[in-house]
Amino acid sequence: MAPAKRSVRFKPKEKSKRDGPPPPFKQPPEVLEPFINQLDEKHVYVTHIDGHPASFKWRIFLVPVAMNVGVAALFVWRMYAIIPWYWELVKPFLGLPSAITFAAEQSTWPELIWEISKRTAVFLVDFLLFVFVWPWPVEFTMGRRHGNPTRWRWNVGFQDKEIYVRRSRDWDTVIGDYLEDGDGHKILTTYIKTATAPLLQEQKTGYLLMNGQWDLDWAAMVLAHRLVDKKEVALEAFKNAVLMYHEDHGWLCYDLGISASVEEDTKRRQVFAFRDALTALGKEDLFYRWVEIVQFESTQPGGFGPEKQEAAAQKIRDLFEAGGVNFDELWKESNSN
């Protein structure tokens, strides 16, 4: 079944403040029109192609499957165990004898307080399970607003090359007119650059890219694969595409300048060589903690100027020293060839 159509405006409005959007924004490729027509204008979208092996994605997906199966089993067990107790509570209101009837007038205050506390605790636990825990497996298997992981995997399966579509979370409500508002433009570009960092996408499979700023749009991912399977859109069209809507220009694409320079490509190879050196030492965890520190510090208010860069560098050196590794020496050694 095709996902519900959420928006149909792809072409920009006839009237525009400019002949075209300013760089780095541009009109999206027409080939993506069948995909863009289904997107919600309120959000920013990032698409990329995950090249991790299908077997690796299968193992990653087993974790939320196991967690949700466990939650569902816990909930079923809880209902089986507690429904008879609730039935006993209801019986007196129906004029039936109950095994847990409590004669308050014949009890002392400590006994009364203890009984009330026990029943309150039962009500509270069941309330928390029903309101906050039970929705996990429900959303995982039957979520409809943006699709759900179960339907996504059922339709897409596990492939060596998969399309992932991330959808902005609440921050997209504060960017306003990001072409005119300097602060909105800065917020938008900061989140985009962090989300599309080559190192992040190289190290993490798409399923692990959900965080406080981005959700995965399961329905959009199913749609993207369906369009590729029907040969309406080429797979490569979804490689690092950033899409957002503007009132005056319609749907726009953020130009990431993916054709990296020789210098950028060299830096990337150096980082991967450094990672391999740490892995050989059994210190791969230091690499990921290094990446997390850099990503965190670079997204803090006030920018990532020289002073903050130096402070972050010292924090990283201290981290590696605590792990028994000299950062500077290992970096030099891993990139000496």
Side-chain angles (χ1 to χ4, degrees), residues 24-192:
F25 302 95
K26 61 182 182 180
Q27 298 298 330
E30 289 189 9
V31 69
L32 285 176
E33 182 173 354
F35 174 73
I36 294 176
N37 283 344
Q38 306 296 321
L39 302 181
D40 191 331
E41 295 171 2
K42 296 183 297 184
H43 298 296
V44 180
Y45 294 86
V46 174
T47 75
H48 80 282
I49 300 172
D50 186 347
H52 288 85
S55 58
F56 176 71
K57 294 165 184 167
W58 164 253
R59 293 195 298 271
I60 292 294
F61 193 67
L62 282 179
V63 176
V65 168
M67 182 188 73
N68 282 280
V69 169
V71 169
L74 172 65
F75 195 82
V76 170
W77 171 84
R78 180 62 181 173
M79 290 180 63
Y80 175 79
I82 203 63
I83 283 179
W85 184 81
Y86 279 108
W87 172 238
E88 293 296 329
L89 284 181
V90 173
K91 278 183 176 181
F93 296 99
L94 301 177
L96 301 174
S98 172
I100 60 172
T101 299
F102 186 76
E105 65 278 0
Q106 299 177 7
S107 305
T108 63
W109 275 106
E111 291 174 336
L112 187 60
I113 293 173
W114 174 246
E115 187 64 27
I116 293 174
S117 299
K118 285 195 304 181
R119 297 190 180 190
T120 301
V122 172
F123 293 147
L124 179 61
V125 168
D126 291 335
F127 174 80
L128 293 176
L129 283 173
F130 185 78
V131 175
F132 297 106
V133 180
W134 176 240
W136 296 354
V138 173
E139 186 67 24
F140 189 79
T141 57
M142 294 181 286
R144 300 185 63 181
R145 185 178 180 187
H146 298 291
N148 60 75
T150 303
R151 180 172 176 268
W152 163 59
R153 279 305 183 196
W154 180 265
N155 285 272
V156 176
F158 295 89
Q159 304 180 27
D160 288 332
K161 287 189 175 182
E162 294 179 349
I163 302 167
Y164 281 82
V165 181
R166 279 173 281 172
R167 182 188 68 253
S168 58
R169 302 192 70 175
D170 295 341
W171 61 266
D172 56 25
T173 62
V174 301
I175 58 177
D177 187 345
Y178 51 85
L179 297 185
E180 299 292 337
D181 185 351
D183 290 336
H185 179 86
K186 184 176 181 180
I187 293 171
L188 176 66
T189 54
T190 297
Y191 281 128
I192 288 175

Side-chain angles (χ1 to χ4, degrees), residues 108 240 261:
T108 63
N240 294 301
S261 65

Side-chain angles (χ1 to χ4, degrees), residues 12-30:
K13 297 179 178 180
E14 292 183 1
K15 294 183 178 181
S16 173
K17 294 180 182 178
R18 305 181 178 87
D19 292 335
F25 302 95
K26 61 182 182 180
Q27 298 298 330
E30 289 189 9

